[in-house]
Amino acid sequence: MADRLMSLSLDQQTLLEYRAILENASVGILFTRDRKVLHCNPRFNEIFGYAEGELQGQPGRVFYLSDTDCTRMGEVAGPRLTRGEPVSLEFTMRRKDDTPIDCHMRIKPVNPHNSAEGTIWIFEDITERKKAESALQQLIHRQDAILENASVGIMFTRNGLIELTNPRFDAILGWPPGALLGQKTRVFFSSDDDHQGFAEHAGATLASGALMEAEWLNTRHDGSKVWCRHLAKAVTTTAENRTTIWITEDISEKKASADALLRAHQALEQRVEERTRELQDAHQRMQVVIDSSTLAIYTQDQPGRILSWNTAAEKMFNLLRQETLEDPTIFSQRLEPPELQSLREQAFEGRKVVNTELQLNLPGGQALELSLNIVALHDQAGQAYGVLTMASDISERKANERKVAFMAYHDALTGLPNRQLLEDRLEVAMAQADRSKTKVSLLFLDLDNFKRINDTLGHAIGDSLLQEVAQRLRTCVRESDTISRQGGDEFVVLLNALQDKDAALPVIAKLLDRLDEPFYTDGHELATSASIGVTVYPDDGQDFDTLRKKADMAMYRAKEAGRNTYRYFNEAMNAEAKEHLHLRNGLRRALERNELVLHYQPQIDLTTGRVFGAEALIRWNHPDLGMVSPARFIPVAEDSGLIVPIGDWVMSEACRQAMSWHRQGLPALLMAVNVSVAQFNRGNLEEALVKVLLASGMNPQNLELELTESLLIQNVDHVLAALKRLKGLGVQLAIDDFGTGYSSLSYLKRFDIDKLKIDQSFVRDLVADPEDTAIVNAIIQMAKSMGLKTIAEGVETPDIVTSLRRFGCDEAQGFFFAKPMPAEAFASFVSSHPQTNTPLN
């Protein structure tokens, strides 16, 4: 190869630069003739473990593990090479030390028409790739793609005709391999005018010898359209030989420009290697690709003077090629930082600089993050005279990496640390506390009434509120403390280096005060507060999960205490939580084991004194705890979601029992059944009710569903439509515990309600408390004006009955009449109770 280079009349320095590129190729290259080694590059020696020059003249069989392998290779490759065809295969070869090595080889005859002139072997060490699994398999495909196909289309035209295209070019334009050879470029355009327009755009630039760049909507072989980016330059412009090189990229779905053009550069290097018989033309083509590459490619001598400077370097460093020709030291003096100078010196001394990342500050404050590959340039005597640098701008990738790294440890909405980062910082804080004998406090914050704000005003307002909450929280703690958003409206504050557990109290007070102030978002004034649960390390736990779980328990106690307050964790909370879990687990089996029973409280007509109905009240006959009050297990059922199947069972059992009484001879009674919000919101209450009525045979008019006031203000249109469907079935509707929720006369006007049930908290002190007297009287009079019935619960004395009758209340229930009782006792009570129109005295 050296003799051929000596024989060429090209500029010697340029040839040396080209040779430097070839000598630093990342694949092994071997030239053989008569099955003996003529020449190989340094990478080939490195792959097979030979010293430079040691292989020259060696027979090819030294690379095989056995004579059988050598013979098999001859059988596979020999006939094809004899026919002038290239061979590409993977084969296990032998290093100098007799160790096996897996190789990917591409073999071509130097002269396809006369294989006796020798062969070119391109080797890639794929031993490690063979050992890898799926992740490295992808790398093999990429390496094979680099060897087999450029990632950009390349076309050569001579005198207006297509002389050569690579497979990628054929694929972009949709032509079968080889079908374009000899065609005119008119085939890529939709019309003569389109073709002429492109020619006018490109002709003058190409004729001047400059690099032409254009984006054009071209036509594929099948008539479909493809947007292409074309880079073209005339290699020769003589009248007899007008040769042009085209680099074409499908920009309809193009990949990152830097990677694509880098692969184009590497692909063109392979093309140059494969066309060694046309070295001068290959060099010219390579120079075009270098000038069109997005990689900044430039060469310097040892002192740092610029020897060559491509177009991408002009754009990347904002330094024109003409400026470097007029002052070759301008780059090293103005832009090259000491770190880059040191890398250049390392490469000059023979050390590899591969994919080295470096930040460079341009004049004006712009920062470039670069990935650098630097190799030494050697003259014919092997002496280094300079370096070649290939630089790619990785600023965007590095920014994305930093963003991804930030997002991995921070909440996307507020920018606060997420749970993972909080756990890491807690580990550090606990270790510091152990060394300094201090404490760490974990505050679990849950915003009060946030769900109502989110549901009423929308998620955009809710998100803005959460961002403002995060800002306020930051003003309440030290920089050494940590605020974390756990999701939704839950935040955790980590306070470290506390002298005692009470040292967190000033911070807690500040948090509560700041969050109690009004928020202003998008024209809305919002009021919220926070409930805070507090745990202390090491008193309450030794790890994050334990401390957070206990802080969560304490937070719920703060909510139960009226919200906008805090509670420290104590072991009583833990005991309650265990009981809650015990009840929850037992409740799951209670339905299956028939442990749930219904008791019935009579409802009395205050005008006639007769029993007109019953309210079905659930009880749990626990095998270990005995009869469990609903006050203990209903909250557990609601929290676990078991309230829905339990509610269905209550409705079914109550209707079945009502029909059983009727068959025993009791009069048709009104059966009142409570409906939970969860039952109503699941969306199939109507369907479940129809099944119960059909199964029991009960008249729908004898069933009364008691609904809570809070249900009526949630999604009013949906609730209104659902209530209309329920009324269409014929059932009665009542509002339970009226006066204790979010009462609104406007809702009562819209909903088809039959009855208001006055809460017992107003009824018990009706005689003694003037305020309760006024409230109960107002409810009854309002109901009358709206055509609604009223029923008072919790009636315990004759005086209360007298007052209710005086106000005009229609119905009542309570211990004065009877306590809730089992079905058999209720039947006896009704049978013995007067059913005539006998007024109560």
Side-chain angles (χ1 to χ4, degrees):
M1 179 180 289
D3 292 342
R4 294 183 63 194
L5 291 172
M6 290 289 291
S7 67
L8 297 175
S9 60
L10 297 173
D11 177 81
Q12 292 301 312
Q13 182 169 300
T14 303
L15 287 175
L16 288 173
E17 292 175 5
Y18 170 64
R19 179 181 178 186
I21 294 175
L22 294 179
E23 288 297 314
N24 285 276
S26 61
V27 296
I29 303 173
L30 172 70
F31 297 88
T32 67
R33 184 182 296 161
D34 297 329
R35 298 185 179 181
K36 292 184 179 179
V37 176
L38 289 180
H39 177 69
C40 61
N41 72 341
R43 178 57 181 155
F44 186 89
N45 286 328
E46 181 184 347
I47 291 174
F48 285 90
Y50 287 90
E52 183 177 358
E54 186 177 357
L55 280 171
Q56 191 166 355
Q58 291 282 346
R61 65 176 178 273
V62 300
F63 304 124
Y64 297 95
L65 292 172
S66 65
D67 291 339
T68 301
D69 282 355
C70 183
T71 301
R72 185 157 57 92
M73 174 61 81
E75 292 172 348
V76 172
R80 295 183 63 182
L81 293 173
T82 301
R83 293 194 300 269
E85 299 174 357
V87 177
S88 176
L89 74 165
E90 295 180 359
F91 209 84
T92 303
M93 308 296 283
R94 182 176 65 184
R95 288 191 176 95
K96 180 181 177 180
D97 60 3
D98 292 332
T99 59
I101 174 173
D102 291 314
C103 294
H104 179 272
M105 295 176 287
R106 297 180 64 203
I107 315 167
K108 288 184 65 175
V110 173
N111 183 352
H113 304 294
N114 183 6
S115 60
E117 292 185 19
T119 54
I120 300 173
W121 302 63
I122 298 177
F123 283 79
E124 181 185 3
D125 182 355
I126 61 170
T127 303
E128 292 303 319
R129 188 193 69 192
K130 287 286 188 178
K131 296 177 182 178
E133 297 180 353
S134 60
L136 291 184
Q137 186 62 35
Q138 183 179 6
L139 180 59
I140 291 177
H141 294 157
R142 292 177 181 171
Q143 291 172 339
D144 287 345
I146 292 173
L147 292 173
E148 295 295 333
N149 301 287
S151 62
V152 294
I154 302 175
M155 174 179 70
F156 294 94
T157 63
R158 188 185 299 273
N159 298 329
L161 298 178
I162 299 171
E163 185 179 66
L164 177 67
T165 60
N166 73 336
R168 179 58 183 155
F169 189 92
D170 293 338
I172 291 173
L173 277 304
W175 286 78
L180 282 170
L181 300 184
Q183 299 259 23
K184 294 182 179 180
T185 56
R186 166 64 178 81
V187 298
F188 305 137
F189 298 88
S190 60
S191 65
D192 291 337
D193 290 341
D194 186 31
H195 183 220
Q196 182 62 29
F198 184 83
E200 292 174 356
H201 175 82
T205 304
L206 291 174
S208 68
L211 177 67
M212 189 284 300
E213 179 177 351
E215 293 182 0
W216 209 266
L217 185 61
N218 290 108
T219 302
R220 289 191 178 96
H221 188 210
D222 60 3
S224 61
K225 303 297 183 182
V226 57
W227 274 103
C228 295
R229 177 174 179 262
H230 301 290
L231 296 172
K233 190 169 184 180
V235 179
T236 59
T237 57
T238 63
E240 296 80 12
N241 182 15
R242 298 190 303 276
T243 302
T244 305
I245 181 173
W246 300 77
I247 297 177
T248 297
E249 181 183 5
D250 180 353
I251 61 172
S252 301
E253 298 178 357
K254 70 177 182 180
K255 298 181 180 178
S257 59
D259 290 341
L261 288 176
L262 178 59
R263 289 195 295 272
H265 172 71
Q266 294 170 337
L268 192 56
E269 279 188 328
Q270 297 175 34
R271 174 63 66 187
V272 170
E273 293 168 3
E274 294 168 1
R275 298 175 66 87
T276 55
R277 291 179 303 140
E278 300 172 350
L279 187 58
Q280 184 175 2
D281 290 345
H283 166 70
Q284 293 172 340
R285 295 167 185 166
M286 174 66 77
Q287 190 60 49
V288 171
V289 173
I290 289 175
D291 280 340
S292 62
S293 173
T294 55
L295 290 174
I297 302 175
Y298 58 93
T299 57
Q300 297 169 275
D301 62 12
Q302 184 177 8
R305 291 187 295 265
I306 295 297
L307 303 177
S308 65
W309 191 257
N310 77 338
T311 304
E314 289 185 324
K315 296 178 180 178
M316 187 175 294
F317 301 113
N318 196 22
L319 190 61
L320 297 177
R321 187 178 331 198
Q322 185 64 31
E323 294 179 87
T324 66
L325 294 176
E326 293 173 356
D327 182 3
T329 64
I330 189 172
F331 177 74
S332 60
Q333 292 180 354
R334 182 185 299 178
L335 298 177
E336 192 175 49
E339 297 88 348
L340 184 53
Q341 294 176 5
S342 175
L343 291 174
R344 174 162 52 80
E345 289 297 326
Q346 292 179 32
F348 190 84
E349 294 169 2
R351 284 175 283 177
K352 289 187 177 182
V353 179
V354 179
N355 296 330
T356 301
E357 296 182 359
L358 179 76
Q359 181 170 311
L360 185 148
N361 296 315
L362 296 178
Q366 180 187 358
L368 279 180
E369 295 193 70
L370 303 175
S371 177
L372 301 165
N373 288 276
I374 309 176
V375 296
L377 299 173
H378 297 86
D379 58 22
Q380 290 179 321
Q383 297 297 315
Y385 70 88
V387 295
L388 178 143
T389 300
M390 291 180 285
S392 60
D393 184 354
I394 59 171
S395 302
E396 183 176 355
R397 174 171 66 82
K398 297 296 288 184
N400 289 335
E401 288 175 357
R402 287 190 289 270
K403 182 177 180 181
V404 169
F406 180 86
M407 295 305 295
Y409 291 97
H410 292 79
D411 172 52
L413 178 64
T414 62
L416 294 175
N418 61 11
R419 174 172 177 148
Q420 183 175 351
L421 182 54
L422 176 65
E423 290 190 47
D424 292 344
R425 291 187 179 177
L426 178 62
E427 289 292 331
V428 174
M430 291 189 298
Q432 292 174 344
D434 291 340
R435 291 193 296 269
S436 60
K437 306 303 180 185
T438 56
K439 296 183 182 295
V440 177
S441 189
L442 208 65
L443 315 182
F444 190 93
L445 286 80
D446 186 270
L447 299 183
D448 301 327
N449 303 320
F450 176 77
K451 186 177 186 302
R452 183 180 303 163
I453 294 172
N454 216 30
D455 292 344
T456 305
L457 300 179
H459 293 291
I461 298 296
D463 288 347
S464 296
L465 175 60
L466 291 174
Q467 291 169 335
E468 178 61 26
V469 167
Q471 289 298 327
R472 292 192 186 183
L473 293 179
R474 289 188 179 100
T475 66
C476 299
V477 299
R478 303 164 295 181
E479 288 189 7
S480 60
D481 298 325
T482 298
I483 305 167
S484 171
R485 179 174 177 237
Q486 300 291 285
D489 60 338
E490 296 177 344
F491 296 83
V492 173
V493 178
L494 169 64
L495 304 177
N496 54 32
L498 301 178
Q499 293 304 313
D500 53 55
K501 64 183 297 184
D502 293 335
L505 289 174
V507 179
I508 296 171
K510 191 174 182 181
L511 290 170
L512 291 172
D513 287 344
R514 290 289 285 126
L515 295 181
D516 195 36
E517 297 171 6
F519 291 84
Y520 299 94
T521 301
D522 195 25
H524 299 277
E525 180 178 339
L526 306 177
T528 187
S529 57
S531 298
I532 304 177
V534 187
T535 51
V536 177
Y537 171 84
D539 305 1
D540 298 325
Q542 304 292 317
D543 57 74
F544 176 82
D545 288 337
T546 302
L547 291 170
R548 186 192 181 284
K549 179 180 177 182
K550 291 182 176 180
D552 189 38
M553 293 182 198
M555 183 273 294
Y556 277 107
R557 294 302 177 271
K559 283 194 179 292
E560 292 170 0
R563 307 188 178 192
N564 193 23
T565 188
Y566 70 94
R567 286 292 182 270
Y568 273 84
F569 172 80
N570 57 56
E571 284 304 323
M573 297 178 188
N574 205 27
E576 291 177 15
K578 290 179 179 178
E579 181 190 22
H580 182 93
L581 181 61
H582 178 65
L583 291 176
R584 178 172 178 167
N585 292 336
L587 199 55
R588 292 185 181 277
R589 299 185 293 270
L591 277 172
E592 301 172 4
R593 298 178 177 178
N594 297 318
E595 295 173 5
L596 299 178
V597 296
L598 291 183
H599 285 190
Y600 303 89
Q601 186 170 37
Q603 294 181 327
I604 309 299
D605 187 320
L606 289 178
T607 302
T608 66
R610 69 183 181 87
V611 179
F612 72 89
E615 181 180 7
L617 299 169
I618 191 169
R619 300 290 186 267
W620 181 10
N621 189 8
H622 194 283
D624 300 322
L625 303 177
M627 196 65 73
V628 181
S629 166
R632 288 179 65 187
F633 73 83
I634 289 299
V636 177
E638 291 175 339
D639 180 57
S640 64
L642 293 172
I643 193 66
V644 173
I646 289 175
D648 289 346
W649 177 84
V650 169
M651 188 184 301
S652 176
E653 177 62 17
C655 291
R656 184 201 65 77
Q657 184 60 61
M659 293 305 296
S660 176
W661 286 332
H662 189 57
R663 286 191 291 270
Q664 295 173 26
L666 267 65
L669 299 173
L670 182 70
M671 179 63 72
V673 177
N674 284 278
V675 176
S676 69
V677 174
Q679 278 181 281
F680 194 89
N681 287 340
R682 68 176 176 175
N684 65 342
L685 178 60
E686 180 183 4
E687 178 184 348
L689 183 57
V690 169
K691 290 181 180 179
V692 168
L693 292 173
L694 290 175
S696 64
M698 184 174 182
N699 185 340
Q701 293 182 351
N702 292 332
L703 178 63
E704 181 178 84
L705 303 182
E706 294 187 357
L707 312 170
T708 62
E709 283 185 277
S710 60
L711 172 65
L712 302 183
I713 67 169
Q714 300 178 11
N715 195 350
V716 175
D717 292 335
H718 167 73
V719 172
L720 181 60
L723 292 183
K724 285 183 178 179
R725 291 194 298 271
L726 292 175
K727 287 293 291 183
L729 296 177
V731 300
Q732 305 294 308
L733 299 177
I735 298 180
D736 192 18
D737 301 334
F738 186 79
T740 63
Y742 303 95
S743 304
S744 172
L745 297 182
S746 63
Y747 292 145
L748 292 180
K749 288 165 59 179
R750 296 184 63 185
F751 297 126
D752 193 4
I753 301 298
D754 300 291
K755 186 184 297 183
L756 300 182
K757 192 168 190 179
I758 305 171
D759 187 70
Q760 58 185 337
S761 62
F762 302 123
V763 175
R764 286 201 179 104
D765 296 327
L766 174 62
V767 177
D769 190 331
E771 290 185 359
D772 286 345
T773 301
I775 291 172
V776 172
N777 190 20
I779 293 174
I780 294 171
Q781 302 314 313
M782 176 196 68
K784 286 183 177 297
S785 68
M786 299 180 71
L788 305 178
K789 285 188 175 183
T790 52
I791 181 171
E793 63 178 354
V795 177
E796 298 181 354
T797 67
D799 293 340
I800 295 176
V801 174
T802 301
S803 296
L804 290 172
R805 293 183 65 234
R806 186 173 72 252
F807 295 153
C809 185
D810 300 298
E811 302 162 355
Q813 68 184 81
F815 288 1
F816 175 73
F817 305 107
K819 294 182 179 180
M821 59 192 80
E824 296 79 4
F826 182 87
S828 299
F829 177 84
V830 174
S831 298
S832 62
H833 197 85
Q835 294 299 306
T836 60
N837 293 337
T838 304
L840 291 173
N841 295 319

